[in-house]
Amino acid sequence: MFALVLAIAAGLPLLVETAGLPSTLPGLGTILAVAGAVTRVMALPLVDSWLPSWLRKASAQPDPLAPPTWTRE
């Protein structure tokens, strides 16, 4: 359920624009600001470290279980 809320929050500006809603609707600016804030907070490295390992964003280190990739030199 939480992932669904985050996905909607991240895509909310696009949904509003696609629906043709005027950005001056009362409350819509607040909703978009809160959605942006939640999305930004979830992108912080500190929040990422609180998440379980299977839910964290991909790291820059290679997967030790992946087969090696060979290159010609």
Side-chain angles (χ1 to χ4, degrees), residues 30-53:
T30 304
I31 292 170
L32 290 175
V34 169
V38 168
T39 304
R40 176 66 185 120
V41 167
M42 290 304 295
L44 293 174
L46 179 63
V47 174
D48 190 49
S49 68
W50 291 341
L51 297 174
S53 61

Side-chain angles (χ1 to χ4, degrees), residues 5 12 15 18 21 25 27 36 45 49 57-58 62 68:
V5 171
L12 195 59
L15 292 172
T18 303
L21 296 173
L25 279 178
S49 68
K57 61 184 172 188

Side-chain angles (χ1 to χ4, degrees), residues 2-3 6 8-9 12 15 17 21 26-27 29 35 37-39 41 46 51 54-56 68-70 72:
F2 185 67
L6 288 178
I8 291 173
L12 195 59
L15 292 172
E17 184 179 336
L21 296 173
V38 168
T39 304
V41 167
L46 179 63
L51 297 174
W54 57 271
L55 194 56
R56 292 183 187 153
T69 55
W70 304 102
R72 282 194 168 172

